[in-house]
Amino acid sequence: MLQSISRQQLITAAMVLIICLTVLQDFLEAGYHHFSFYLSESVLFKTYWLLFIPVCILLRKVFGSMKARSVFLTLPLFVLTAVPLHLLLYGWSVTSLSFLLLDHTYTVTDTVAYAIAADLYKYLFVYSIIGLAFFRKQAPQETAVPQVQAPLPVDNLCINTGKNNMVIATDSILLITAATPYITIHTADKKQLHTATLKSIMDKLDGHRFVRIHKSAIVNVSAVVSYTSRLNGDYDLRLTNGQEVRLSRNYVSGFRQHLDMRSSS
């Protein structure tokens, strides 16, 4: 039975109950102070409770499309929009209903002035609670970003040589150079063409051992015997097989960091 009742129906029922209780409070207060009690006027002036529902529905659509960076920045804007809107609707509704149902009509300005004097704190409190609940629910929850583990470097490369496939241990590679659309893999005693790019092959190699030294060359740091400055920012690297290769000035810093890591390990 309760499951078939919507949340909006429950809220409406709660508002009606509040109106009944506040009307009862007016009746008791009038009896205590020996005032005249008019049920129609008491109910009329307590209808502001029902206006919380349409105002919240309207502002939820407006503020729901906004991406709130902070609850404490958006909440005051919500409250300062809701309260004047509610007061204006309340003034017009009391004026209209009193014109239709009573023998005298209350003006909008008098009704709004009365509401501000008697019930402003209620408006601020209720809309602050509603706004806080809405924006805290709306705020995106931070989710942990799964860490993607980098693939482990390979120990061997499979090189296609036409009909045959050759397996080369990465430890034996001294140098890899670009030879578009291929790359050339240099070992101590031979060179071998391979269909790949420097970037794709670098992703497979041990980044602590192999380093880019030029836009078209990767070197095995362990194979470097010495390096000599060209006095223009570039260097000449001499490898264990006597081969020389240029180290571009743009890659000197990374090369030296790799040398330091190799010497410290």
Side-chain angles (χ1 to χ4, degrees):
M1 180 66 181
L2 290 177
Q3 293 179 350
S4 62
I5 301 176
S6 66
R7 182 171 58 178
Q8 185 173 349
Q9 290 174 325
L10 288 175
I11 294 174
T12 303
M15 292 299 178
V16 172
L17 178 60
I18 291 174
I19 291 176
C20 293
L21 291 175
T22 53
V23 169
L24 176 61
Q25 182 182 15
D26 285 349
F27 173 75
L28 296 176
E29 185 176 2
Y32 179 78
H33 292 288
H34 304 289
F35 295 153
S36 298
F37 174 73
Y38 300 96
L39 178 62
S40 57
E41 292 188 1
S42 179
V43 173
L44 180 64
F45 279 94
K46 294 301 183 290
T47 53
Y48 71 86
W49 285 103
L50 292 176
L51 292 176
F52 282 105
I53 298 173
V55 171
C56 286
I57 292 174
L58 175 62
L59 293 185
R60 180 172 185 140
K61 293 181 179 179
V62 174
F63 284 84
S65 60
M66 297 175 57
K67 295 182 179 179
R69 295 183 179 180
S70 170
V71 173
F72 298 103
L73 292 177
T74 315
L75 180 60
L77 179 60
F78 175 82
V79 175
L80 293 177
T81 303
V83 172
L85 177 60
H86 192 134
L87 289 171
L88 184 61
L89 291 175
Y90 177 56
W92 279 106
S93 63
V94 169
T95 299
S96 301
L97 291 174
S98 62
F99 175 77
L100 294 173
L101 303 176
L102 303 180
D103 56 358
H104 58 281
T105 303
Y106 293 98
T107 64
V108 175
T109 54
D110 288 344
T111 303
V112 172
Y114 169 78
I116 293 175
D119 301 314
L120 180 61
Y121 71 96
K122 297 178 183 178
Y123 293 103
L124 294 174
F125 176 76
V126 173
Y127 280 116
S128 295
I129 296 300
I130 293 173
L132 185 62
F134 172 61
F135 290 118
R136 284 181 64 88
K137 183 179 179 180
Q138 184 191 32
Q141 300 295 323
E142 295 184 359
T143 56
V145 178
Q147 299 294 325
V148 179
Q149 186 175 4
L152 296 175
V154 297
D155 295 325
N156 300 286
L157 291 178
C158 184
I159 308 301
N160 185 277
T161 59
K163 294 182 179 181
N164 300 320
N165 292 313
M166 179 185 299
V167 178
I168 299 178
T170 55
D171 290 344
S172 66
I173 298 175
L174 307 182
L175 177 69
I176 304 174
T177 56
T180 308
Y182 305 98
I183 60 173
T184 303
I185 298 177
H186 302 249
T187 59
D189 55 353
K190 66 176 66 175
K191 300 178 184 179
Q192 182 64 55
L193 287 177
H194 179 48
T195 305
T197 63
L198 289 180
K199 182 181 183 304
S200 65
I201 205 71
M202 190 66 189
D203 292 338
K204 297 179 180 180
L205 299 174
D206 187 351
H208 294 88
R209 177 177 297 175
F210 291 87
V211 61
R212 197 78 169 257
I213 59 170
H214 191 274
K215 64 180 181 179
S216 59
I218 297 171
V219 73
N220 185 343
V221 179
S222 303
V224 177
V225 176
S226 64
Y227 61 103
T228 306
S229 174
R230 290 189 173 188
L231 303 179
N232 64 350
D234 293 352
Y235 288 81
D236 287 321
L237 304 183
R238 181 174 293 276
L239 306 183
T240 53
N241 65 345
Q243 184 178 356
E244 287 190 350
V245 60
R246 183 163 66 93
L247 167 61
S248 172
R249 70 196 73 181
N250 297 327
Y251 297 90
V252 170
S253 176
F255 173 76
R256 286 176 173 169
Q257 289 179 5
H258 278 72
L259 279 184
D260 292 340
M261 287 190 297
R262 294 296 298 174
S263 61
S264 61
S265 60

